[in-house]
Amino acid sequence: MRAVILNGAFAGDETCAAIEMELATALAGVGCEVECLRLRELAIAYCKGCFGCWVKTPGVCPTRDDAASVTRSFVRSDLAVLVTPVVFGGYSSELKKALDRSAGIVLPFFTRINGEVHHQRRYQRYPALLAVGVVDRADQAEERTFETLVARNAINFHAPAHRVEFVRRDDAIETRRTIVARAVAGMTRPMRGAA
Amino acid sequence: MTRDRMVLLVGSAKAAGRSTSEALARYLAGRFEGGGASVTILPVNRSRRAAEDERLLAAIDTADLFMLVTPLYVDSLPYLVTRSLEITAARRERRPNQRFAALVNCGFPEAEQCRTALAILECFARHTGFIWAGGLALGGGPSIDGRPLERLGGMTRHVRAALDQAADALMRGEPIPTSAVAQLARPMMPASLYTAVANVGWRWQASRNRVHRRLKEQPYKSVVSSH
């Protein structure tokens, strides 16, 4: 099994750094090959909305930078893990920058999923999606928005499964580790059963 | 009498004159100016230079209404918009009675798919001390394709009517009425027609770029996991 962790933390975010390490350890512990990508350290330009990944260089963004390796890792994984501070109920700008550049993983053509229009698959398989959102304090509205966002992304990324976990910055280390372990077990158990 | 100051931020990364978001913002700006407001339209900071961030912060600082007009990217806000909101939240000088409103447009025919982005923007308003003046959503945005709304005839009649209603309410200091939200959310054409035209359009663009036989390529297939 392959897992990629996309860490959308800002500089100095020790909680996200710890979560990344604990996720990597837990995933390796269940036999995953893990790749960690700290997005702020990568050279990723923003998406210009040119649709070149659909109609000029199909499946590949015409802007050549580190986004290609992120997309490649995403597509080749069984599990994609998003680690991010929860920003107004959404992703950090660092994570968003990388995800915006991933439009090429689907086709431009439309299809219907549960009665709603979405883009067709480009590939046969896509990774399951686990999002770990870091919050400063409990905020139900933000957490519901974040959960909805991940669910919507799971549809558009054709993820076979998705899950959201929240970690508060003031959580004790053991609490955080329990959350991470629960998330990893929940996402990988079905995969290991199917293997 | 003091004129209301409106600041519109266009969230598209496309060049000036090319985006649906800008066309929508310019229409709203025209309504606001016609109502006697002073309007500033700013593009999102594509250069990411500090001076442009300062320009946005300075404009917001004196605004009665700050309104974001943005495309939907991957179910939420584009990176440049998210970045601008993060900076605004971190650095703006809070002033009482400042309002924030938003208009999100997407390439899916269903305006409903913009809902999560609007929820994020409402959270932003709450976190930053703005009064949330409401959010509008438009599906089928590429049908507008940067063109002035007035030139698009019957296709955008209900869009213009909805924006007129929203602008009038905002100029009165009221939130965007639900009737305007519902009117704007009406599709510009049936979803089946929209998707059929879009699918033809993608093939046509690909043909112009001589890649129409490669549209479904899987460049990363060789390393796709076999779970």
Side-chain angles (χ1 to χ4, degrees):
Chain A
M1 280 185 296
R2 289 194 187 113
V4 62
I5 300 173
L6 303 184
N7 186 342
F10 301 116
D13 190 329
E14 293 177 1
T15 306
C16 283
I19 290 169
E20 179 198 310
M21 192 171 64
E22 286 156 11
L23 279 164
T25 302
L27 286 164
V30 295
C32 280
E33 178 187 322
V34 185
E35 182 179 13
C36 295
L37 298 174
R38 283 174 210 114
L39 299 174
R40 70 179 181 277
E41 296 174 1
L42 302 179
I44 300 177
Y46 61 82
C47 177
K48 295 177 195 158
C50 68
F51 300 126
C53 57
W54 284 342
V55 296
K56 280 192 185 160
T57 50
V60 177
C61 179
T63 302
R64 303 299 168 123
D65 60 14
D66 291 341
S69 64
V70 175
T71 305
R72 185 184 306 117
S73 293
F74 185 94
V75 171
R76 74 190 286 257
S77 294
D78 300 279
L79 174 65
V81 185
L82 312 180
V83 177
T84 177
V86 175
V87 177
F88 317 127
Y91 302 141
S92 72
S93 53
E94 290 293 346
L95 178 56
K96 199 67 202 2
K97 187 171 29 147
L99 293 179
D100 285 355
R101 295 281 301 282
S102 66
I105 70 170
V106 293
L107 294 176
F109 306 117
F110 291 122
T111 186
R112 281 198 180 268
I113 300 175
N114 299 328
E116 202 175 54
V117 174
H118 293 279
H119 289 285
Q120 293 176 12
R121 298 169 165 263
R122 181 178 295 277
Y123 298 98
Q124 276 189 300
R125 295 187 177 88
Y126 289 83
L129 197 60
L130 167 62
V132 181
V134 178
V135 296
D136 294 331
R137 60 194 165 280
D139 183 322
Q140 277 207 345
E142 277 208 71
E143 291 178 15
R144 296 298 85 79
T145 299
F146 189 83
E147 286 173 340
T148 303
L149 173 59
V150 175
R152 302 294 300 174
N153 279 177
I155 296 171
N156 281 311
F157 289 153
H158 301 281
H162 73 278
R163 185 184 180 112
V164 177
E165 293 284 354
F166 295 102
V167 172
R168 283 177 39 177
R169 288 193 189 278
D170 60 0
D171 277 340
I173 293 174
E174 280 315 307
T175 303
R176 192 178 65 219
R177 287 179 180 161
T178 299
I179 293 169
V180 166
R182 179 178 69 207
V184 168
M187 292 303 289
T188 60
R189 195 175 297 120
M191 292 178 196
R192 283 178 282 142
Chain B
M1 190 170 89
T2 313
R3 296 166 76 196
D4 265 358
R5 280 177 283 228
M6 317 294 212
V7 170
L8 278 75
L9 178 64
V10 178
S12 175
K14 291 182 179 174
R18 298 281 193 94
S19 76
T20 292
S21 297
E22 184 181 338
L24 294 166
R26 291 207 176 278
Y27 184 85
L28 282 165
R31 290 293 303 181
F32 290 143
E33 284 167 345
S38 149
V39 181
T40 301
I41 300 180
L42 291 174
V44 73
N45 186 357
R46 297 184 198 100
S47 70
R48 291 172 289 175
R49 286 194 208 105
E52 293 300 316
D53 292 331
E54 294 300 326
R55 192 170 157 216
L56 175 62
L57 287 166
I60 292 172
D61 194 43
T62 58
D64 297 291
L65 174 74
F66 170 36
M67 185 163 186
L68 170 67
V69 185
T70 180
L72 185 79
Y73 272 34
V74 193
D75 302 309
S76 63
L77 304 167
Y79 156 73
L80 288 176
V81 171
T82 304
R83 176 186 174 276
S84 289
L85 297 183
E86 286 167 351
I87 291 170
T88 302
R91 296 183 46 203
R92 91 174 192 96
E93 301 265 353
R94 290 192 180 205
R95 300 193 193 286
N97 301 320
Q98 283 188 303
R99 295 172 293 139
F100 176 67
L103 165 51
V104 181
N105 74 92
C106 71
F108 300 112
E110 305 101 344
E112 174 69 16
Q113 297 210 38
C114 301
R115 181 183 287 273
T116 305
L118 287 172
I120 290 170
L121 292 167
E122 188 173 357
C123 284
F124 163 77
R126 186 160 49 83
H127 275 266
T128 48
F130 282 106
I131 299 166
W132 173 240
L136 294 153
L138 175 72
S143 303
I144 294 173
D145 195 27
R147 295 171 291 175
L149 300 188
E150 300 88 336
R151 294 196 199 155
L152 296 175
M155 185 180 76
T156 59
R157 186 174 299 120
H158 76 282
V159 172
R160 285 175 276 130
L163 295 181
D164 291 347
Q165 195 184 358
D168 289 346
L170 290 169
M171 283 191 291
R172 291 194 301 270
E174 295 166 7
I176 296 171
T178 53
S179 52
V181 173
Q183 189 169 29
L184 191 69
R186 279 172 38 204
M188 285 185 272
M189 63 183 78
S192 55
L193 177 60
Y194 177 80
T195 55
V197 169
N199 287 342
V200 167
W202 297 123
R203 288 194 174 87
W204 179 77
Q205 289 184 64
S207 181
R208 274 184 30 171
N209 295 323
R210 299 184 185 177
V211 295
H212 50 285
R213 293 190 211 281
R214 297 172 42 209
L215 270 168
K216 296 190 177 181
E217 273 187 354
Q218 299 174 325
Y220 303 127
K221 184 185 180 188
S222 60
V223 289
V224 169
S225 168
S226 55
H227 64 81

